[in-house]
Amino acid sequence: MTKKSKGLWMAIIGASFWGGSGAAAQYLFANTSMTAIWLVTVRLLFGGGIMLLIGLARHRDQIKAILSNKRDIAILVIFAFLGNIRTGPK
């Protein structure tokens, strides 16, 4: 597979997921008591978990090096929580 065709397929799949997630969110908001903040938090957790699994599969030694240093772990945890803080009007 060439780089051009791989990029095209990645764009098609990404657009499909983007559209599907919008339709799913609309359904959830209309038919459940789910809030946007809860949905964003769950999406961030799952997205981070998926990226961690991909990182472990492709760069296990580098991920282990980061997770073996207590200072690096603390920075990652702080960044994760600060990145999920809600800003703006309530």
Side-chain angles (χ1 to χ4, degrees):
M1 181 178 290
T2 66
K3 285 186 177 184
K4 187 174 182 178
S5 63
K6 183 178 179 180
L8 179 63
W9 278 109
M10 291 174 80
I12 290 169
I13 291 168
S16 298
F17 282 144
W18 182 270
S21 71
Q26 183 178 4
Y27 174 82
L28 289 171
F29 294 148
N31 297 309
T32 67
S33 61
M34 184 181 300
T35 64
I37 293 172
W38 187 89
L39 181 61
V40 168
T41 301
V42 170
R43 287 176 69 183
L44 286 171
L45 287 171
F46 276 104
I50 290 168
M51 287 192 296
L52 181 61
L53 291 174
I54 291 170
L56 283 171
R58 299 185 83 190
H59 307 284
R60 182 174 298 275
D61 294 337
Q62 294 172 345
I63 300 294
K64 282 184 179 180
I66 292 170
L67 296 178
S68 66
N69 186 337
K70 289 182 181 180
R71 182 176 179 273
D72 289 342
I73 293 172
I75 290 171
L76 284 171
V77 169
I78 291 168
F79 181 77
F81 282 107
L82 291 179
N84 201 20
I85 292 177
R86 180 177 175 214
T87 58
K90 293 183 180 181

